Amino acid sequence: MLQSPVIDIKHLDHFFGQGQLRKQVLFNINLEIQAGEVIILTGPSGSGKTTLLTLIGGLRSVHDGSLKVLNKEMCNASAKELVEARRRIGYIFQAHNLHKSLTAQQNVQMGLELHPEYSVAEMRSKSAQMLEVVGLGNRINYYPEDLSGGQKQRVAIARALVSHPKIVLADEPTAALDKKSGRDVVNLMQKLAKEQGCTILMVTHDNRILDIADRIVHMEDGQLSNANLQLVTAG
């Protein structure tokens, strides 16, 4: 029996603004992503990639079409349903979005705050363990200003993965990193996601990391093309 896609999008349109200012930014998006896939979403700035990511992640409401995430319909979902969806998704942003006043461990712990089943002690323990996994076990009490760019992004990855989400959404995770740090970060994301059995959908302009993808999907002017392009590596 075939498993349902973890992300299943059909005839999705999206608009910004109201009345005469209403502007369509996504047009008839159709995309299926299976469990465990690593998908890279490419395209020029302003093409709608981040908007699509925020809709999948429950950070915006879906109004037209169908968008199912882990078999839950996101179109016209209530605020409570969007929060429920976000509990099962990890987010990694271009700017690592760490709180400057919190230590690495406290930043990672924030990834568990939507999960009331964990006690404070369990949250501390899990966040410390996750920092160990990403190679920052000796930096748990460091503040972001005392970490390098690559280390900050590792903290962000730890925060995204600490709750063992089914889906990780990453928006330009290597944009601010040099070549080696960027490669290290995506290798780490790929390794941890495969170990946890989760799906990665990553927006990037970084041609140096396209080889980690199972598929590359291209977006231009709010429309998808090559939605089923399989990446074939030489060798």
Side-chain angles (χ1 to χ4, degrees), residues 14-25 60-64:
H14 194 69
F15 303 82
F16 287 143
Q18 300 290 330
Q20 290 185 330
L21 296 176
R22 193 173 194 236
K23 180 184 178 185
Q24 188 166 357
V25 291
R60 295 182 194 273
S61 296
V62 179
H63 298 127
D64 292 296

Side-chain angles (χ1 to χ4, degrees), residues 1-196:
M1 181 177 170
L2 284 174
Q3 283 190 320
S4 299
V6 293
I7 298 170
D8 190 4
I9 306 172
K10 289 184 171 64
H11 308 300
L12 175 68
D13 295 324
H14 194 69
F15 303 82
F16 287 143
Q18 300 290 330
Q20 290 185 330
L21 296 176
R22 193 173 194 236
K23 180 184 178 185
Q24 188 166 357
V25 291
L26 296 179
F27 300 81
N28 195 32
I29 302 295
N30 293 278
L31 180 65
E32 289 186 2
I33 299 176
Q34 304 296 330
E37 277 196 291
V38 177
I39 306 294
I40 284 182
L41 183 58
T42 64
S45 295
S47 58
K49 305 183 301 298
T50 296
T51 299
L52 180 58
L53 216 62
T54 59
L55 291 170
I56 293 169
L59 301 174
R60 295 182 194 273
S61 296
V62 179
H63 298 127
D64 292 296
S66 173
L67 195 168
K68 290 182 181 176
V69 177
L70 300 168
N71 292 319
K72 297 288 186 182
E73 179 59 68
M74 305 288 276
C75 187
N76 296 316
S78 67
K80 182 180 178 183
E81 288 168 331
L82 292 176
V83 170
E84 282 293 325
R86 291 197 289 268
R87 284 195 174 117
R88 299 185 292 173
I89 298 172
Y91 304 88
I92 302 168
F93 302 98
Q94 175 177 344
H96 39 75
N97 284 9
L98 301 182
H99 286 262
K100 294 179 181 178
S101 61
L102 301 179
T103 65
Q105 183 176 11
Q106 290 167 332
N107 269 288
V108 174
Q109 203 169 305
M110 291 188 69
L112 294 169
E113 288 189 348
L114 284 175
H115 298 267
E117 65 270 25
Y118 297 123
S119 68
V120 172
E122 286 173 322
M123 289 164 68
R124 284 185 189 139
S125 173
K126 286 180 176 293
S127 55
Q129 288 170 7
M130 199 69 219
L131 283 166
E132 193 76 47
V133 169
V134 302
L136 292 175
N138 61 342
R139 297 281 194 280
I140 65 172
N141 293 317
Y142 281 48
Y143 289 91
E145 65 183 18
D146 299 317
L147 299 172
S148 69
Q151 288 171 335
K152 289 174 187 173
Q153 202 62 306
R154 283 170 177 261
V155 175
I157 290 170
R159 181 180 57 194
L161 292 175
V162 68
S163 64
H164 288 251
K166 297 293 185 185
I167 298 168
V168 170
L169 303 176
D171 193 0
E172 298 281 5
T174 65
L177 303 177
D178 60 43
K179 181 178 180 181
K180 182 180 186 308
S181 297
R183 168 56 65 175
D184 288 347
V185 159
V186 294
N187 285 347
L188 180 63
M189 282 175 57
Q190 184 185 35
K191 174 177 177 286
L192 293 177
K194 291 296 184 188
E195 288 173 359
Q196 293 188 7

